[in-house]
Amino acid sequence: QVQLVESGGGLVQPGGSLRLSCAASGSIFSFDVMAWYRQAPGKQRDFVAYITSGGTRNYADSVKGRFSISRDIAKNMVYLQMNSLKPEDTAVYYCNAASNNNYWGQGTQVTVSS
């Protein structure tokens, strides 16, 4: 059973930055895709960014140019660098690992507010 543990969330002012981390219990290279999703209160869970095993990255239009996904294969870590944060980025952020199965972390809260 794969376990994903997110960290790095918190309260930040608009325009600020945060870096989220996702620690995987197994090799992230074994997954086809590692991704970040987010869910705001009362809304569905939405895609934010992904990175494939081959290193291809993709982002939701709402975060392009502001967020960056990266990974450290040796450490089994995936990161989400979030810059120029906006109040509408407030959500619980979830790490996802996908191959034949789909795995989720417990989420980390990000609140952007002055």
Side-chain angles (χ1 to χ4, degrees):
Q1 182 73 13
V2 174
Q3 291 188 331
L4 303 173
V5 179
E6 302 96 333
S7 61
L11 173 64
V12 63
Q13 292 187 342
S17 298
L18 281 176
R19 188 177 83 151
L20 305 183
S21 299
C22 173
S25 60
S27 171
I28 62 172
F29 198 69
S30 66
F31 296 103
D32 295 328
V33 178
M34 297 293 299
W36 288 95
Y37 287 74
R38 65 186 181 186
Q39 187 168 19
K43 296 188 177 182
Q44 66 181 20
R45 190 172 296 187
D46 290 330
F47 163 75
V48 176
Y50 73 66
I51 183 167
T52 70
S53 58
T56 300
R57 295 169 172 82
N58 193 29
Y59 300 92
D61 287 343
S62 59
V63 306
K64 279 181 181 177
R66 300 189 298 122
F67 290 13
S68 178
I69 188 170
S70 62
R71 64 184 178 180
D72 187 328
I73 295 173
K75 295 182 179 179
N76 295 320
M77 297 289 292
V78 178
Y79 305 99
L80 185 68
Q81 178 66 44
M82 306 186 296
N83 299 326
S84 302
L85 283 161
K86 305 175 181 180
E88 51 263 44
D89 295 318
T90 294
V92 177
Y93 283 71
Y94 296 91
C95 181
N96 171 263
S99 56
N100 292 328
N101 296 306
N102 216 15
Y103 301 95
W104 294 92
Q106 84 289 347
T108 185
Q109 176 71 46
V110 172
T111 302
V112 185
S113 175
S114 55

